[in-house]
Amino acid sequence: MKIDNLCKSLQLYYYLAFLLFFAVAFLSSCFIKEPLYELGSNVAILLQSVGIMYVIISVPLGLWIFSQKLKTLKTKDSVQCFYKKIWLLRLSLISFGVILNVLFFYILKDLSMLYAAAIAAIAFIFCKPTMIKIENDFSIFDEQNEQGKEE
């Protein structure tokens, strides 16, 4: 698989996730008119805690896992397949935070859920696949291989 084909397939997943964000927001706004739980209730506090904690944990974790797994690549043949898997893992971790908090926003009508979704969405935007980013990631792999051969 060439790098441009890899970039196109990753961009397809990226834009499908964006489409899913808007679908969840649209459907939630259509079907959930009133808050389902009062803000002080135990369920509301639990949902707020889960939504915020998920974003606080998943965004750095997704970015860290991606960088650590990228460093473990050994052969050029396995790079693109493995790169796609770890990129999709990062995308899934971060995009689930956006979807979860948008859904919680409509369930609770609490702005803190919208802020948490915005934080995850900003991280999601920075993960957009471009040829430059992918080539940069592969150049890191090449540098690691050259250092390994010298030692």
Side-chain angles (χ1 to χ4, degrees), residues 2-4 8 13 23 33 37 42 45 47-48 50 54 65 67 76 80 87-88 94 102 107 119 146 150-151:
K2 293 182 180 179
I3 292 179
D4 59 339
K8 287 178 185 176
Y13 289 115
K33 298 295 182 188
Y37 301 102
N42 290 337
I45 293 171
L47 292 178
Q48 288 173 327
V50 166
Y54 183 83
I65 287 174
S67 70
K76 189 79 169 177
Q80 291 185 354
W87 188 89
L88 288 173
I94 294 173
V102 165
I107 290 172
I119 291 168
E146 289 174 10
E150 291 174 1
E151 296 173 358

Side-chain angles (χ1 to χ4, degrees), residues 7-78:
C7 184
K8 287 178 185 176
S9 69
L10 293 178
Q11 285 177 345
L12 176 68
Y13 289 115
Y14 182 81
Y15 290 119
L16 285 174
F18 247 116
L19 186 63
L20 186 61
F21 298 160
F22 290 117
V24 167
F26 176 74
L27 292 173
S28 296
S29 67
C30 289
F31 294 112
I32 304 173
K33 298 295 182 188
E34 297 293 321
L36 299 179
Y37 301 102
E38 293 182 27
L39 283 181
S41 70
N42 290 337
V43 175
I45 293 171
L46 177 69
L47 292 178
Q48 288 173 327
S49 300
V50 166
I52 293 171
M53 289 303 293
Y54 183 83
V55 169
I56 289 172
I57 293 170
S58 70
V59 170
L61 182 67
L63 299 174
W64 180 78
I65 287 174
F66 181 78
S67 70
Q68 292 301 310
K69 293 291 185 180
L70 193 61
K71 292 177 186 175
T72 64
L73 297 176
K74 301 289 184 215
T75 63
K76 189 79 169 177
D77 299 331
S78 66

